[in-house]
Amino acid sequence: MTSSTGRRVTANLGLTLDGRYNGPGGPGDLGAIVPYATTDVARDHLTRIWEGATTALLGRVNAEGFLGFWPTVAEDENADPRDRGYAKWLVDTEKVVLSTTLTEAPWARTRMVNAPTADVVAELKATGEGDILVNSCPSVIKALLAADLLDRLYLLICPEIAGGGQRLFDDGLPNSRWSLTHHETGELGEVAMVYDRVR
């Protein structure tokens, strides 16, 4: 059994009312989520997710996608300060990217790992301090839910029914109980919620 430093594993994702993180058009169909991602409530939520985190755990697709977007936000003096705060944190923090295909790190301060998600998290929890954040990486979040390794869930619920697309909570997950520790409703009807795992 690997010893633990008490680090929390946290995850953030935007979902529709029917529990989907994309629409029927596939992974790029974010039409039911994107309009709500730039509200004050969503941006305050974005700040909340990274403030205690010292490691970003990413999947390959997100790592490559984030690389094309967030570094420019970090440099943009006209960007919303909350977006810029997250962007600077992401650029500067330790990043661990789970991939079976990438061998070279796409970012500075990045380590590539080809191993099961649960094993990587166990290794990260054994050293260091601060939260381990999985931001908007559904494949990684699903693996952690299946292994009951998530300690906190940051959810932005968007007031739309997508009617198709991929769901976060698949059948067959282990039973778990969560405590609502924060919630805030935005002007468009979006709800930012923080749930902590009750163990």
Side-chain angles (χ1 to χ4, degrees), residues 101-168:
T101 54
L102 279 185
T103 52
E104 290 189 20
W107 296 58
R109 289 173 287 288
T110 303
R111 184 163 55 98
M112 307 304 300
V113 182
N114 181 357
T117 304
D119 294 352
V120 174
V121 165
E123 178 209 322
L124 288 172
K125 287 188 78 162
T127 59
E129 56 187 28
D131 291 349
I132 301 158
L133 170 64
V134 184
N135 187 25
S136 299
C137 296
S139 62
V140 178
I141 297 171
K142 284 183 173 203
L144 294 172
L145 283 169
D148 195 15
L149 289 173
L150 273 183
D151 301 306
R152 172 169 280 186
L153 263 173
Y154 296 96
L155 298 175
L156 181 72
I157 305 300
C158 305
E160 296 195 20
I161 292 174
Q166 295 170 284
R167 295 181 191 275
L168 176 61

Side-chain angles (χ1 to χ4, degrees), residues 39-46 48 156 184-186 190-192:
T39 65
D40 280 336
V41 162
R43 283 185 158 129
D44 289 345
H45 192 59
L46 181 67
R48 201 174 294 118
L156 181 72
E184 194 174 350
T185 304
E190 74 283 8
V191 184

Side-chain angles (χ1 to χ4, degrees), residues 5-165:
T5 57
R7 299 184 77 183
R8 286 186 308 188
V9 182
T10 68
N12 173 61
L13 199 60
L15 297 175
T16 60
L17 285 179
D18 51 344
R20 302 176 196 274
Y21 53 85
N22 59 36
D29 183 356
L30 303 174
I33 293 172
V34 167
Y36 307 96
T38 56
T39 65
D40 280 336
V41 162
R43 283 185 158 129
D44 289 345
H45 192 59
L46 181 67
T47 300
R48 201 174 294 118
I49 71 171
W50 66 263
E51 282 183 321
T54 55
T55 302
L57 181 60
L58 303 165
R60 177 190 59 82
V61 173
N62 283 71
E64 292 179 330
F66 286 0
L67 180 61
F69 179 73
W70 287 110
T72 57
V73 176
E75 300 297 322
D76 183 358
E77 293 180 9
N78 296 315
D80 185 285
R82 294 162 293 188
D83 292 351
R84 205 164 172 213
Y86 170 73
K88 286 180 170 180
W89 171 82
L90 186 61
V91 168
D92 293 340
T93 201
E94 173 196 26
K95 290 169 284 294
V96 178
V97 177
L98 299 165
S99 177
T100 56
T101 54
L102 279 185
T103 52
E104 290 189 20
W107 296 58
R109 289 173 287 288
T110 303
R111 184 163 55 98
M112 307 304 300
V113 182
N114 181 357
T117 304
D119 294 352
V120 174
V121 165
E123 178 209 322
L124 288 172
K125 287 188 78 162
T127 59
E129 56 187 28
D131 291 349
I132 301 158
L133 170 64
V134 184
N135 187 25
S136 299
C137 296
S139 62
V140 178
I141 297 171
K142 284 183 173 203
L144 294 172
L145 283 169
D148 195 15
L149 289 173
L150 273 183
D151 301 306
R152 172 169 280 186
L153 263 173
Y154 296 96
L155 298 175
L156 181 72
I157 305 300
C158 305
E160 296 195 20
I161 292 174

